[in-house]
Amino acid sequence: MKLLNSHRQKIGSILTDYNSMVFDLDMIKKVYSKFPERVKAAREIVGRPLTLSEKILYTHLWDGNATTAFERGKSYVDFAPDRVAMQDATAQMALLQFMQAGKKKVAVPSTVHADHLIQAKLGATKDLQESLNQNNEVFNFLSSISSKYGIGFWKPGAGIIHQVVLENYAFPGGMMIGTDSHTVNAGGLGMVAVGVGGADAVDVMAGMAWELKFPKLIGVKLTGSLSGWTSAKDVILRVADILSVKGGTGSIVEYFGEGAISLSCTGKGTICNMGAEIGATTSTFGYDDSMRRYLAATGRQEIVDAADEIAEHLTGDKEVYDNPEKYFDQVITINLSELEPYINGPFTPDRGTRVSEMREEATKNNWPMKVEWGLIGSCTNSSYEDISRAASIAEQAVAMGIKPKAEFGINPGSEQVRFTIERDGFISTFEKLGTKIFTNACGPCIGQWDREGAEKHEKNTIIHSFNRNFSKRADGNPNTHAFVASPEMVAAIAISGDLGFNPLRDTLTNDKGEQVKLNPPKGDELPKRGFDVEDPGYQAPAEDGSAIDVIVKPDSSRLQLLENFPAWDGQNILGAKLLIKALGKCTTDHISMAGPWLRYRGHLDNISNNMLIGAVNAFSNEMNEVVNQLTGEKGEVPAVQRSYKAAGIPSIVVGDHNYGEGSSREHAAMEPRHLGVRAIIVKSFARIHETNLKKQGMLGLTFADESDYDRIKEDDTFNFIDLESFAPDKQLTLQVVHTDGLKENIHLNHTYNQQQIDWFRAGSALNLIKLQNNSNQK
Ligand code: MIC
Ligand code: SF4
């Protein structure tokens, strides 16, 4: 198999050890052996029937059997996840931190997946080679550090983390964390899988508990069944439209009902995956036949056998699903039989428009109607089923003589999917439409798309089956209007080249000038002839990694060993300046952009040069331009912050709602920490980002009165006057000193518990681990 052979020569050294074995079966059996007793204990303590989410949470308590009924949305709880997954762009920082934790091996099964750093330009073979050339140092680092510490490594070209995890590691009733917000994809196989920052992963890999606020529970009852053009993607596009990008914050979304059972396992994965876009902690589904089929098809009948023995515990209790309003904090019902296909966007994944209403909506908003590109794939929509359904549309276009009006690109989710869809002829169908088949990797979804002409910043429309469509995300062009839809809808719309095209109603003109209509997509949930793959691209870790050297060159521009952040001096922070007041949406892409900056994910000082360069300055509406309060001159955000740091002046950042939405990248928290920002004060936070700030020893605070956001002036000075008595459940007071001498106090809320305050005191959670290690050794 060409792809992996060529990269094997490059990254080289270590042999592939993969015989479609069931990974970590013993661990899974151990989890299942304790399950019934732990569910029983939880049911007794909670005193009522349990949702699936509660069963998984309570069976994974760090302290064993439940002895307390936790308060949803309030109690901080210690959990013991079964495994950890990391992708290349976040694993670098996670493992640089892990190196400092003083452990010989990871405490739970863990994997690293090389998927984000691979660009999409000319097609898989050339692109993969080019990425290997460019990222060799980083891939070698990840390969050797994984081998050293007992971590499985999935090499470049092996696939996208979440697809590979679903195919190989996810299991019903399990709990995992991953350093990527879309780790939640594994909910499609009935897990509680949660996206976290690297520092959280370090805790678990170092054998410590993982802390999470006990989530609230949203129940989504699915009735009816999908048909025609509607697919699993439309379920989550609809849920996003209902709940918005922050509606799921702090909650697990649990899907149930006959409609849930009727969905394929990978379809369930899609729904859970994109649950990250509503801010949900995770989403999950009860164990059912679709999961049995998927596990068996991916070579894991042993897991089916083990799960079947405790099947009643791997789904919610009947009473719960019969009376969901009594048990969930919120219930949404969606009738799949009536659901229409959706197209969400542009610029935000929760702006939903029915396909039938798109022409009107796009005209009203002046969105470019001509579609330039259709992109299929990404971790959320690259299953065999997805590709086969999209291919059925492409096939019709070929047969009816319709020439596609837009260009096409596909990123298969894994080598196993790619190999099988090639064998089954889908790739050649797409190639007849001139489609570029990119590497089994994130590619355009993470800005690794070298799109010709993007630098001209022309207003244009693209449509894709990815999760995210924030400004500049795919190609760096702020004027690209990116829309999200199912793979089959992307195929139809890209063929028509018209955003307003409704394949359920409209016709297309073929090469003979005839009006023709596309039939609804057809596809196979799983390959009839089974999955096939020659080399999935897995590298097993060394049995004994102690002799393996992990190389980080001191002059590297890509990797940098971490230094401790300074501990808090115990004093109030006085005389702080405002670095930037961010206006409106400020996602992690705005705080620490991806695309070209991915290359510095292992080098904190270098990547800090992108800090907040995408945030909009509320005083000028400009990006990456703020007034340096020391000189009165305008400058770029990172440069101005560096000058505050050099002068020893503390600073703060102010933001709007759902600050830090999107990625799990802890760089968005480490960069301000590294450059000397002391506090981020916002109307509300996205969950992962808030935790990342705490872990890195930052103050992440919210306005007690949202309208205080408006009181903050560009040239104010800020004093935290009662930080010295920082304590759980106690507001902090910020004294704002305006330049006319007027002083006003505003109240700030926080969610720090005592342990998190200890992180702040120590300078970071990692500093605290190190302190504790040192005192244990004495
Ligand atoms: C994303 O989809 O935004 C990413 C890129 O996968 C991120 C991780 C990262 O920034 O490296 C995520 O979802 O957490
Ligand atoms: Fe990769 Fe995109 Fe999935 Fe993130 S959302 S893991 S960038 S494919």
Side-chain angles (χ1 to χ4, degrees):
M1 208 246 337
K2 272 190 274 128
L3 287 181
L4 297 171
N5 281 344
S6 63
H7 90 253
R8 201 188 290 137
Q9 284 155 16
K10 274 274 170 202
I11 333 191
S13 59
I14 303 154
L15 286 176
T16 293
D17 169 13
Y18 175 98
N19 303 312
S20 79
M21 61 200 183
V22 182
F23 288 98
D24 309 301
L25 188 60
D26 289 345
M27 175 272 280
I28 297 170
K29 285 190 170 158
K30 211 157 134 206
V31 172
Y32 285 174
S33 70
K34 295 189 201 129
F35 226 90
E37 175 199 324
R38 290 199 172 180
V39 169
K40 186 163 171 268
R43 214 182 267 123
E44 272 165 24
I45 283 289
V46 177
R48 55 167 172 75
L50 298 174
T51 61
L52 167 65
S53 311
E54 288 167 309
K55 288 183 190 177
I56 303 180
L57 294 168
Y58 277 107
T59 51
H60 286 83
L61 297 177
W62 180 255
D63 293 327
N65 282 1
T67 52
T68 319
F70 297 109
E71 210 181 324
R72 297 178 191 170
K74 273 252 148 59
S75 317
Y76 279 102
V77 181
D78 280 347
F79 291 103
D82 303 315
R83 60 178 317 120
V84 173
M86 292 159 279
Q87 42 88 343
D88 51 0
T90 50
Q92 298 170 60
M93 211 41 101
L95 294 173
L96 284 165
Q97 293 176 79
F98 182 75
M99 281 169 84
Q100 304 198 358
K103 303 286 167 185
K104 282 214 167 74
K105 244 183 180 339
V106 289
V108 302
S110 305
T111 48
V112 166
H113 304 256
D115 55 359
H116 281 61
L117 296 180
I118 300 162
Q119 66 161 21
K121 185 177 185 182
L122 301 168
T125 314
K126 287 193 183 133
D127 292 348
L128 182 59
Q129 189 54 52
E130 179 58 23
S131 302
L132 292 167
N133 297 344
Q134 282 189 12
N135 301 304
N136 206 17
E137 179 185 358
V138 171
F139 290 145
N140 276 333
F141 167 77
L142 291 174
S143 159
S144 58
I145 196 167
S146 297
S147 194
K148 182 174 181 69
Y149 291 117
I151 301 171
F153 179 58
W154 290 79
K155 295 182 266 188
I160 310 176
I161 173 170
H162 311 303
Q163 190 69 35
V164 174
V165 165
L166 198 72
E167 281 173 8
N168 296 281
Y169 298 111
F171 64 98
M175 177 186 274
M176 70 178 276
I177 59 169
T179 60
D180 190 283
S181 65
H182 296 110
T183 302
V184 292
N185 185 61
L189 251 178
M191 287 193 108
V192 161
V194 182
V196 296
D200 281 44
V202 170
D203 288 349
V204 176
M205 292 189 296
M208 300 183 328
W210 171 60
E211 187 192 64
L212 179 75
K213 196 185 273 181
F214 203 86
K216 293 192 172 183
L217 300 175
I218 299 176
V220 179
K221 181 172 181 177
L222 300 178
T223 62
S225 62
L226 296 171
S227 63
W229 282 89
T230 314
S231 77
K233 182 75 159 192
D234 299 304
V235 176
I236 186 61
L237 292 176
R238 176 75 187 122
V239 170
D241 189 38
I242 296 171
L243 284 176
S244 89
V245 287
K246 56 182 180 9
T249 308
S251 303
I252 296 186
V253 184
E254 184 168 325
Y255 291 83
F256 60 94
E258 45 163 9
I261 292 170
S262 74
L263 295 166
S264 68
C265 178
T266 50
K268 291 178 167 86
T270 299
I271 293 172
C272 293
N273 188 316
M274 211 182 152
E277 271 46 74
I278 55 167
T281 301
T282 191
S283 308
T284 195
F285 282 83
Y287 179 52
D288 65 15
D289 280 346
S290 71
M291 299 184 190
R292 289 187 179 93
R293 291 193 297 273
Y294 185 74
L295 284 166
T298 48
R300 291 174 291 168
Q301 182 59 39
E302 287 103 318
I303 299 186
V304 177
D305 298 341
D308 279 346
E309 283 182 28
I310 58 157
E312 64 180 290
H313 301 304
L314 299 176
T315 188
D317 285 341
K318 186 173 178 308
E319 295 89 327
V320 170
Y321 293 160
D322 286 348
N323 296 291
E325 281 77 12
K326 266 175 77 181
Y327 301 97
F328 290 99
D329 298 291
Q330 183 182 352
V331 177
I332 294 169
T333 303
I334 296 178
N335 182 345
L336 301 184
S337 307
E338 287 168 7
L339 185 67
E340 250 193 73
Y342 270 74
I343 300 181
N344 286 22
F347 304 121
T348 188
D350 60 348
R351 180 172 187 160
T353 304
R354 289 187 177 84
V355 168
S356 57
E357 289 161 12
M358 191 38 125
R359 186 171 308 285
E360 197 187 328
E361 192 66 13
T363 312
K364 200 166 77 199
N365 290 290
N366 208 12
W367 297 332
M369 206 65 88
K370 180 169 182 298
V371 176
E372 312 276 346
W373 269 88
L375 298 160
I376 293 173
S378 95
C379 59
T380 188
N381 273 114
S382 52
S383 64
Y384 185 87
E385 182 180 36
D386 285 329
I387 307 283
S388 66
R389 283 173 64 89
S392 79
I393 303 301
E395 223 167 72
Q396 293 181 52
V398 175
M400 294 195 283
I402 308 168
K403 234 178 128 305
K405 298 262 173 41
E407 289 189 68
F408 261 112
I410 296 188
N411 281 81
S414 69
E415 177 55 14
Q416 175 161 274
V417 165
R418 192 207 64 76
F419 193 93
T420 312
I421 61 172
E422 180 168 57
R423 181 200 67 191
D424 292 353
F426 301 141
I427 291 209
S428 71
T429 304
F430 276 111
E431 279 172 347
K432 285 184 201 138
L433 297 185
T435 304
K436 285 210 171 85
I437 310 294
F438 297 129
T439 316
N440 312 318
C442 303
C445 182
I446 184 54
Q448 289 282 48
W449 184 24
D450 197 347
R451 181 180 177 193
E452 218 176 297
E455 67 292 346
K456 291 190 220 143
H457 287 193
E458 283 164 351
K459 191 169 166 183
N460 76 101
T461 286
I462 64 171
I463 187 160
H464 60 58
S465 67
F466 309 162
N467 288 308
R468 296 194 168 143
N469 54 352
F470 306 139
S471 166
K472 299 204 242 178
R473 166 112 179 163
D475 61 2
N477 173 1
N479 301 318
T480 292
H481 290 50
F483 292 86
V484 183
S486 67
E488 46 271 52
M489 192 52 72
V490 170
I493 301 237
I495 287 167
S496 76
D498 173 11
L499 184 64
F501 176 67
N502 177 3
L504 286 80
R505 186 189 59 204
D506 302 338
T507 53
L508 294 166
T509 313
N510 71 4
D511 50 5
K512 298 193 194 81
E514 297 157 353
Q515 290 303 297
V516 289
K517 197 159 180 288
L518 295 169
N519 289 320
K522 283 208 178 82
D524 289 323
E525 174 186 297
L526 293 162
K528 290 199 184 72
R529 293 161 56 202
F531 281 109
D532 226 342
V533 65
E534 269 174 17
D535 177 359
Y538 175 68
Q539 169 198 290
E543 272 300 313
D544 173 7
S546 53
I548 297 177
D549 274 338
V550 176
I551 298 160
V552 177
K553 288 194 246 126
D555 60 345
S556 167
S557 66
R558 304 289 303 269
L559 296 165
Q560 182 186 41
L561 294 174
L562 292 171
E563 281 171 21
N564 287 357
F565 291 132
W568 178 46
D569 61 6
Q571 310 280 307
N572 287 332
I573 298 169
L574 303 174
K577 295 293 173 198
L578 177 72
L579 174 63
I580 184 170
K581 175 157 123 176
L583 179 72
K585 207 171 183 69
C586 193
T587 71
T588 41
D589 279 3
H590 298 77
I591 307 171
S592 175
M593 206 188 160
W597 290 92
L598 282 177
R599 58 187 292 104
Y600 299 122
R601 283 288 184 88
H603 196 294
L604 182 54
D605 193 51
N606 283 347
I607 198 158
S608 295
N609 291 330
N610 79 357
M611 186 184 72
L612 284 158
I613 61 176
V616 177
N617 180 345
F619 300 104
S620 63
N621 267 319
E622 295 294 332
M623 274 189 266
N624 200 17
E625 190 183 273
V626 288
V627 176
N628 181 334
Q629 297 302 328
L630 303 179
T631 61
E633 278 164 24
K634 287 181 182 163
E636 295 184 345
V637 182
V640 170
Q641 181 52 35
R642 282 191 194 270
S643 86
Y644 291 153
K645 186 179 182 185
I649 309 269
S651 66
I652 65 165
V653 167
V654 169
D656 214 307
H657 273 299
N658 210 23
Y659 183 90
E661 168 188 348
S663 161
S664 66
R665 60 190 79 143
E666 62 199 326
H667 307 75
M670 293 177 94
E671 292 174 25
R673 179 76 174 103
H674 173 63
L675 294 184
V677 178
R678 302 298 293 274
I680 311 286
I681 305 172
V682 298
K683 292 184 188 170
S684 64
F685 281 110
R687 175 189 61 87
I688 308 180
H689 186 62
E690 185 179 20
T691 308
N692 285 346
L693 289 169
K694 291 177 178 176
K695 286 249 152 168
Q696 301 300 339
M698 292 280 297
L699 285 173
L701 309 167
T702 52
F703 292 107
D705 176 354
E706 260 176 51
S707 65
D708 285 344
Y709 171 93
D710 301 321
R711 290 177 197 274
I712 309 290
K713 305 269 180 317
E714 199 171 18
D715 49 5
D716 287 340
T717 301
F718 305 90
N719 301 317
F720 291 82
I721 53 179
D722 52 10
L723 187 63
E724 284 168 6
S725 55
F726 191 16
D729 301 317
K730 182 174 167 286
Q731 281 185 334
L732 289 169
T733 314
L734 182 71
Q735 182 186 62
V736 183
V737 185
H738 301 296
T739 38
D740 59 5
L742 188 77
K743 291 182 183 166
E744 41 184 345
N745 284 353
I746 62 177
H747 296 294
L748 302 174
N749 291 339
H750 71 81
T751 59
Y752 288 71
N753 61 18
Q754 190 52 51
Q755 159 158 301
Q756 296 165 344
I757 291 177
D758 291 344
W759 300 340
F760 173 71
R761 287 182 184 282
S764 72
L766 189 61
N767 285 358
L768 196 63
I769 299 183
K770 286 199 252 174
L771 281 174
Q772 286 160 352
N773 278 354
N774 289 346
S775 61
N776 288 345
Q777 275 157 21
K778 274 179 203 154

